[in-house]
Amino acid sequence: MSGNSLHSTETIVIGAGPGGYVAAIRAAQLGQKVMIVEKENIGGICLNVGCIPSKALITAGHHYHKAQHLDVFGINVPQIDVDFSKVQVFKEGVIKKLTDGVRTLLKGNKIEVVKGSATFIDTHTVRVSSGEGEQTISFRNAIVATGSSPIDLPFLKFSDRIIDSTNALNLTKIPRSLIVVGGGVIGIELAGAYANFGSKVTILEGQNDILSGMDSKITSIIKRNMKKKGIEIFANTYIKEGKEVGEIVEVKFEINDEEKTLQSEYLLLSIGRKPNTDEIGLEQIGVEKEENGLIKTDRQCRTTVPNIFAIGDIVAGPMLAHKASYEGKIASEVIAGKKSIIDYTCIPAVVFSEPEIAVIGETEESAKEKGIAIQSAKFPFAANGRAIALDETDGFVKLIVREDNDIVIGGQIIGAGASDMIAEITLAIESGLTAEDLALTIHAHPTLGEIVMETGEVVSGNPIHIIT
């Protein structure tokens, strides 16, 4: 690519993350000539430095920790250690398999991939710049899927030892100590992973509790398990200063009107992300944004410019890869003339903590705020045969149903396999099923999935394996 070569396409997708590449494939399936522009790596943040590599690291840490406690099963391991360089090789191998797979899918769907940074010139033209030069691309419709970036603070800037989640995943050795600023999903997941590897981890959270907005019964289980791993949690903290002092990081914070100082080998700053909507020329073509930088869209992912669509972290809603993929399909279908619209009723959210957390739909609190009369029911993992055999008895399944007809409108799971189990409750909400429908569905035994069935039985007042 050199000079100002001119190309044209029907649909251009800017960003090849889980929103962008899915949008591109769906558009191609629907008969569009598609081009996708990516300035960094195919697969975006999620596949390369986010969802996927973090789960690989979390899984490795989980196995290492479990291997140290196999005596409960009568298995005695005389000595166990971890080669962190091989952990990183495993993680990189996972990334390569998936990103290679995405490249194959794009090629198989005849989607042209262009490397570089895209900037809108007008509503039907972008300029793509890279180290090889520039080219101009004309298009009929565009889908913007540029994702988000981690936020730092004026007094706590990213550096060699004050790191974001990307750098936390790419450490070459296990840190002896780690301070995590921010007790949200990313902070909790990576805190747990490194604690499993043996790091001394401290979490500083500004809110009243970790995992803000989560049921207190769920967070209490997470905090209990973190305490067992030696993780110290300070809530209601105010960070005043952070700096590198030689090969350590020193952070000053205030809690209960008392100033404290902590030191660690690294500090992971995990306080949120901002949409990547600057410097791509959106303003000059009339695409309107909110004050927080999010792009204004309608229920078909269309921006204030009719042929420009936006999806994923740059629009309102939770910053989740599966939400971005869903929106990518909708945008491409609308471009193809279908009457698809966004329906955010069922967006499950998962925390890969120990144990895992998965939630969907309404909670008791949100239902009350909306004036929905509900009934809730819980069933514990401790009463499930498979959970007992796995030695994974922490947690419960909770169902939220409408009081008048028992239709399922929400669910919460904390326990082993929660990330997989939530799919059944999500399908129940999407399909308008009742708790009785779940209870009457025959589940294989012994499985963790039976807990969902048994929770449905609790709603009906006829549980078999607990006394209410």
Side-chain angles (χ1 to χ4, degrees), residues 222-250:
I222 297 300
K223 287 186 291 186
R224 185 175 69 234
N225 279 276
M226 285 191 149
K227 186 177 181 180
K228 290 179 182 177
K229 298 178 192 296
I231 299 174
E232 194 169 11
I233 301 172
F234 293 94
N236 289 313
T237 61
Y238 173 70
I239 309 297
K240 302 184 73 173
E241 181 186 359
K243 61 183 179 181
E244 290 188 28
V245 182
E247 294 187 352
I248 63 170
V249 179
E250 183 176 277

Side-chain angles (χ1 to χ4, degrees), residues 19 49 59 66 108 127-128 156 165 249 362 370 401 443:
V49 292
T59 300
K66 290 292 286 187
R127 180 176 60 251
V128 179
L156 203 59
S165 56
V249 179
E362 303 291 349
K370 295 175 182 178
V401 304
H443 289 63

